[in-house]
Amino acid sequence: MRAKTTEDRKLIEIFDPIAEALGLDIVRVRLMGSNKPDGARRLQVMAERKTDGDINVAQCARLSRAISAYMDEADPITGEYILEVSSPGIDRPLTRLKDFVTYEGLEARIELDRLAEGRKRFRGILAGIEDDHVAIDLEGEEETALMPFAWVVEAKLILTDELLKQGAEKAAARREAGEDEDDFDEGDDADDGVVANDDEDFDDEAFDDDDFDDEQDNEDDKDRTQ
């Protein structure tokens, strides 16, 4: 979940101790291809503070510089790339088992790499975890659905009033702590490799309610087996 490819996993092993030294956790790493022929690839790193799951622009910039310093010396990536460091965003991806506990009670979308209860895509209210299984309450179903975390390929919070309310409460807590709210603006700062959250891998428009049609999931699987 934090990594999609073997290359991503190798990079996470490198970046985890770098982030640890700064009091941060790596949420996700994606090394993505360029939109242009022979263009530079994008190395997207999402991170958050260990203490509260937040992160400000200055912390993103420090992590970006620390990663850049290592990459310049070790050169673990072949070819050109652009490093982008950001927060996970309010409608964040859920990449670790503990995320499903932290954000219990909020609405989310989950996609699996195989069928569970006749479908691969689920939308509902997160209900925590049971051992190494993710629990989600689905609309119109009495029993909570359980799925192995190892089967989850993508998961993301849905932007709802409740999620926005929690975001406002976090902002108020930051103000009380004396943190400058402007420091949490996810605007572009190309000089430090700090960018707004840009979750192309899990675009809401590409994952609409039609994706949760059980019959369509089954038809897709039949097509792949023919």
Side-chain angles (χ1 to χ4, degrees), residues 140-200:
E141 298 189 16
E142 294 184 3
E143 294 187 3
T144 297
L146 290 174
M147 58 204 72
F149 176 69
W151 294 6
V152 178
V153 290
E154 297 288 351
K156 187 177 187 290
L157 293 181
I158 296 173
L159 197 60
T160 61
D161 289 342
E162 179 61 26
L163 185 57
L164 290 171
K165 178 183 176 182
Q166 288 196 13
E169 291 172 350
K170 272 192 172 184
R174 290 197 295 260
R175 288 193 295 270
E176 289 183 7
E179 294 185 274
D180 189 344
E181 198 62 28
D182 289 340
D183 288 342
F184 289 81
D185 181 2
E186 294 179 2
D188 192 353
D189 186 351
D191 290 339
D192 281 326
V194 179
V195 300
N197 172 259
D198 183 13
D199 197 1
E200 290 184 352

Side-chain angles (χ1 to χ4, degrees), residues 19 22-27 45-64 67 85-90 92 103 170 174 179-187 194-195 197:
L22 297 173
L24 304 173
D25 278 333
I26 300 295
V27 174
V45 179
M46 291 183 180
E48 64 184 13
R49 289 194 298 237
K50 288 180 172 293
T51 53
D52 59 5
D54 232 330
I55 191 170
N56 60 37
V57 171
Q59 290 166 326
C60 281
R62 284 196 291 272
L63 179 59
S64 178
I67 289 175
V85 177
S86 75
S87 79
I90 186 169
R92 55 174 296 140
Y103 298 99
K170 272 192 172 184
R174 290 197 295 260
E179 294 185 274
D180 189 344
E181 198 62 28
D182 289 340
D183 288 342
F184 289 81
D185 181 2
E186 294 179 2
V194 179
V195 300
N197 172 259

Side-chain angles (χ1 to χ4, degrees), residues 79-95:
E80 295 184 0
Y81 67 91
I82 299 171
L83 173 63
E84 300 176 351
V85 177
S86 75
S87 79
I90 186 169
D91 52 343
R92 55 174 296 140
L94 308 169
T95 62

